[in-house]
């Protein structure tokens, strides 16, 4: 045990004070350092924060945290009040914006037996009982596929070749009252009529999706001359809603070169959204609160985006409001969306393009290398590369030519045999089998992956809050990034919001 005399202690204190005078908050805080910041990130805080978000969701009749809902408003207030506990360490602001909300429900019964069905965004509403079902030839992409007897009846159409919007409009032209669309592959089909492609004249009729298996059964029964009737009840809301991004930036540190970390704070309609993306939200909040014990050389900005699930709308709004000068001040944006998937992989966005051939703006490759170095040498955890396709809130930053990166643990894609060998868990099962469902609760978290990733966020924040030396020279402003990414997009894994199929 060490023992100091009073004189030694006084001298030591003076030395410490004088060493900190150059920093933004003289004499108060010591400089941030990766290990200290990481050690302050505890599993308990991650679980407590997740539980809080679930309670927030379940305290509302909607039981979710979808943007514009009471659950999301309470989420924003919670983030704000937690940040408020750090005193004046951060400048905290709410950025308002309006986005279009759509919510649909479908109930379908065949011969009075309820069947599993899915909705299509922007489908008209409708309510039909005991209406005859007529099979449509081919894929319902041409008007000639529709026999005259479909008038006043429900058109049974197979998915494929042309958009859902085309099929719905063709059915409308044929005077069908609604469309039952069956999948052309196993599993659910979720889609939108919001196609930008050419749509035939005429108005949409209500449309609901059913499984491939049920579709095949109905086709066979109709071919055998049986009569099939259906009930369809489709209800939906489309409205503009006000919502908020939460932005917090350290008062200390250089504002000319900022490290920016973000996660979306909204859920889908189906549930409380605890892995997607309570996990990223809570990790950021935990790191932000810990960071407030230290001083920084470079300013650290945190964002909790809203309306990610409706097409990255919060991040898009934010980046759209930035001047070129403000964009240039962001040296790196790091995104964290779904970092605790129960059947997880540990995955870093492929910023150097070595696996998915989509290289980010200068600095993106270096950010990926920083994570690889950290996982290998410090966390001692395996790390694989995942698509860098702009499918979460870093997309608008890439569009603006800003270096970006991030971590995730997988969504509805299936874990491969090879990944199961590396990470354990079950091959052939989704990384998150509760993705975008009611079951995305605090029981849907890998606390191990959560903790590993939250500490990795702390490491990234501490590293770049200290220095951007490892990031290389500042990126020149470019605007062509997204075009390159659009050429090679892998839709099968790691996606979160904004990905509704058109056909
Ligand atoms: Zn997400």
């Amino acid at each position: 045990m060490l023992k100091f005399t009073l004189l030694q202690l006084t001298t030591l204190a003076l030395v410490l004070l004088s060493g900190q005078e150059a920093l933004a908050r003289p004499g108060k805080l010591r400089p941030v350092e990766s290990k200290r910041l990481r050690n302050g990130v505890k599993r308990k805080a991650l679980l407590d924060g997740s539980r809080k978000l679930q309670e927030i969701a379940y305290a509302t009749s909607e039981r979710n945290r979808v943007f514009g809902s009471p659950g999301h408003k309470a989420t924003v207030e919670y983030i704000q009040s937690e940040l408020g506990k750090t005193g004046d360490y951060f400048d905290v602001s709410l950025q308002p914006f309006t986005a279009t909300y759509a919510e649909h429900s479908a109930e379908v019964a065949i011969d009075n037996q309820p069947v599993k069905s899915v909705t299509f965004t922007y489908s008209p509403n409708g309510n039909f009982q005991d209406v005859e079902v007529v099979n449509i030839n081919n894929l319902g992409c041409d008007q000639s596929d529709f026999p005259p007897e479909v008038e006043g009846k429900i058109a049974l159409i197979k998915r494929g070749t042309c958009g859902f919007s085309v099929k719905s409009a063709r059915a409308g032209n044929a005077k069908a009252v609604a469309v039952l669309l069956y999948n052309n592959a196993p599993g659910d089909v979720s889609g939108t009529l919001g196609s930008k492609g050419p749509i035939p004249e005429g108005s949409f009729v209500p449309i609901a999706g059913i499984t491939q298996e049920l579709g095949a059964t109905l086709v066979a029964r109709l071919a055998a001359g049986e009569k099939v009737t259906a009930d369809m009840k489709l209800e939906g809301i489309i409205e503009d809603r006000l919502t908020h991004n939460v932005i917090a930036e350290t008062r200390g540190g250089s504002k000319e070169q900022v490290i920016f970390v973000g996660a979306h704070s909204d859920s889908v309609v189906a549930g409380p959204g605890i892995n997607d993306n309570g996990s990223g939200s809570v990790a950021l909040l935990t790191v932000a609160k810990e960071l407030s014990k230290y001083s920084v050389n470079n300013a650290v900005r945190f964002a909790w985006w809203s309306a990610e699930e409706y097409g990255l709308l919060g991040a898009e709004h934010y980046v759209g409001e930035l001047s070129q000068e403000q964009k240039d001040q962001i040296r790196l944006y790091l995104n964290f969306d779904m970092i605790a998937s129960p059947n997880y992989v540990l995955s870093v966005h492929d910023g150097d393009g070595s696996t998915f051939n989509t290289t980010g703006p200068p600095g993106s490759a270096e950010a990926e290398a920083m994570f690889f170095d950290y996982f290998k040498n410090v966390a001692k955890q395996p790390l694989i590369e995942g698509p860098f396709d702009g499918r979460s809130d870093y997309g608008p930053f890439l569009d603006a030519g800003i270096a970006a990166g991030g971590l995730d643990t997988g969504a509805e894609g299936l874990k491969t045999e090879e990944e199961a060998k590396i990470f354990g868990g079950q091959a052939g099962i989704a990384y998150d089998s509760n993705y975008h469902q009611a079951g995305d609760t605090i029981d849907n978290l890998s606390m191990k992956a959560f903790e590993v990733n939250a500490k990795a966020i702390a490491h990234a924040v501490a590293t770049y809050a200290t220095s951007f030396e490892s990031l290389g020279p500042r990126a020149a402003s470019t605007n062509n990034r997204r075009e390159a990414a659009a050429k090679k997009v892998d839709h099968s894994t790691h996606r979160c919001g904004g990905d509704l199929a058109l056909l």
Side-chain angles (χ1 to χ4, degrees):
M1 186 178 170
L2 288 170
K3 215 172 189 180
F4 292 101
T5 65
L6 186 60
L7 179 64
Q8 281 171 321
L9 278 174
T10 311
T11 312
L12 182 65
L14 284 172
V15 168
L16 284 173
L17 278 173
S18 62
Q20 291 192 342
E21 267 165 19
L23 298 167
R25 296 164 60 87
K28 282 190 178 170
L29 305 173
R30 56 179 170 178
V32 68
E33 190 270 323
S34 172
K35 193 173 183 184
R36 282 197 204 106
L37 189 62
R38 275 173 6 235
N39 286 346
V41 174
K42 308 270 196 232
R43 198 178 274 217
K44 183 176 183 304
L46 301 174
L47 189 57
D48 287 351
S50 303
R51 189 173 287 125
K52 178 70 190 172
L53 292 184
Q54 180 162 309
E55 283 167 10
I56 284 171
Y58 287 173
T60 69
S61 60
E62 295 89 341
R63 294 173 72 79
N64 63 31
R65 300 183 303 108
V66 72
F67 88 89
S69 70
H72 187 255
K73 283 178 190 147
T75 299
V76 166
E77 281 161 19
Y78 169 67
I79 292 167
Q80 244 188 322
S81 86
E82 288 297 296
L83 290 169
K85 292 179 183 170
T86 65
D88 63 353
Y89 186 84
F90 292 106
D91 278 316
V92 181
S93 61
L94 294 189
Q95 183 185 36
F97 65 99
T98 300
T100 303
Y101 174 82
E103 181 189 330
H104 299 271
S105 68
E107 288 170 32
V108 176
I110 303 291
D111 298 328
N112 300 314
Q113 294 299 310
V115 296
K116 195 181 180 201
S117 62
V118 293
T119 57
F120 287 81
T121 303
Y122 305 125
S123 166
N125 295 336
N127 193 350
F128 311 101
Q129 264 106 44
D130 290 322
V131 179
E132 244 184 86
V133 177
V134 174
N135 188 31
I136 302 306
N137 302 314
N138 304 313
L139 293 162
C141 295
D142 295 315
Q143 204 59 54
S144 60
D145 292 341
F146 290 77
E149 63 266 27
V150 79
E151 186 173 339
K153 295 176 184 155
I154 292 172
L156 178 67
I157 309 178
K158 187 178 184 177
R159 182 186 188 186
T161 301
C162 62
F164 303 127
S165 55
V166 174
K167 294 173 199 255
S168 176
R170 294 255 185 246
N173 286 340
K175 297 193 170 61
V177 295
V179 171
L180 266 184
L181 182 120
Y182 62 100
N183 207 351
N184 57 2
D188 286 338
V189 46
S190 181
T192 177
L193 300 184
S195 170
K196 293 189 179 92
I199 301 166
E201 289 281 312
S203 52
F204 296 149
V205 292
I207 176 169
I210 56 174
T211 63
Q212 181 182 33
E213 297 72 23
L214 178 59
T217 307
L218 298 183
V219 169
R221 286 179 54 191
L222 291 167
E226 275 186 56
K227 184 178 162 186
V228 176
T229 64
D231 303 337
M232 289 176 72
K233 188 178 173 192
L234 297 159
E235 286 177 342
I237 309 166
I238 299 171
E239 65 187 21
D240 284 345
R241 288 184 170 186
L242 177 69
T243 188
H244 296 87
N245 294 324
V246 184
I247 312 291
E249 182 164 315
T250 56
R251 289 182 193 244
S254 166
K255 306 284 179 178
E256 293 306 309
Q257 39 182 13
V258 174
I259 171 67
F260 196 160
V261 290
H264 72 84
S265 61
D266 61 312
S267 74
V268 292
V269 172
I274 300 305
N275 182 35
D276 183 13
N277 184 30
S279 62
S281 296
V282 170
L284 251 57
L285 199 51
T286 305
V287 171
K289 284 159 70 181
E290 280 302 309
L291 181 66
S292 70
K293 298 171 183 167
Y294 305 97
S295 66
V296 292
N297 293 333
N298 300 318
V300 184
R301 192 179 305 166
F302 293 83
W304 288 266
W305 309 115
S306 186
E308 189 271 355
E309 298 291 4
Y310 282 72
L312 324 178
L313 302 178
E316 205 160 84
H317 178 77
Y318 180 87
V319 173
E321 296 283 298
L322 294 177
S323 67
Q324 189 58 51
E325 193 190 346
Q326 289 169 322
K327 288 176 190 169
D328 291 342
Q329 287 163 348
I330 302 168
R331 287 299 313 276
L332 175 67
Y333 173 75
L334 295 173
N335 195 64
F336 303 98
D337 188 357
M338 305 182 72
I339 59 167
S341 303
N343 193 30
Y344 70 90
V345 289
L346 297 169
S347 173
V348 60
H349 300 341
D350 180 26
D352 64 6
S354 62
T355 303
F356 295 93
N357 203 23
T358 49
T359 311
S364 308
E366 288 78 3
E368 183 191 338
M370 175 276 299
F371 279 123
F372 265 111
D373 177 63
Y374 171 75
F375 275 71
K376 180 165 186 267
N377 296 313
V378 184
K380 305 207 187 301
Q381 294 290 328
L383 184 67
I384 59 170
E385 291 175 298
F388 192 49
D389 53 17
R391 293 223 70 86
S392 184
D393 292 304
Y394 60 95
F397 288 85
L398 293 181
D399 283 349
I402 296 167
L407 302 169
D408 73 60
T409 52
E412 86 288 19
L414 304 183
K415 187 177 247 182
T416 66
E417 294 283 351
E418 200 189 343
E419 289 166 346
K421 276 190 198 121
I422 298 171
F423 297 100
Q426 280 184 281
I429 303 289
Y431 304 112
D432 180 356
S433 48
N434 290 301
Y435 172 70
H436 283 186
Q437 293 177 45
D440 186 8
T441 67
I442 55 165
D443 299 321
N444 188 47
L445 300 173
S446 161
M447 289 310 298
K448 183 189 170 186
F450 203 169
E451 189 177 2
V452 166
N453 281 322
K455 285 181 187 289
I457 297 169
H459 174 73
V461 165
T463 300
Y464 298 124
T466 305
S467 168
F468 282 111
E469 206 183 331
S470 66
L471 212 60
R474 212 178 263 268
S477 304
T478 52
N479 248 326
N480 55 7
R481 168 64 188 75
R482 188 57 161 266
E483 284 162 40
K487 283 176 192 149
K488 192 166 182 180
V489 172
D490 181 338
H491 289 271
S492 62
T493 56
H494 303 111
R495 77 186 154 97
C496 177
D499 189 33
L500 285 172
L502 294 166
L503 64 85

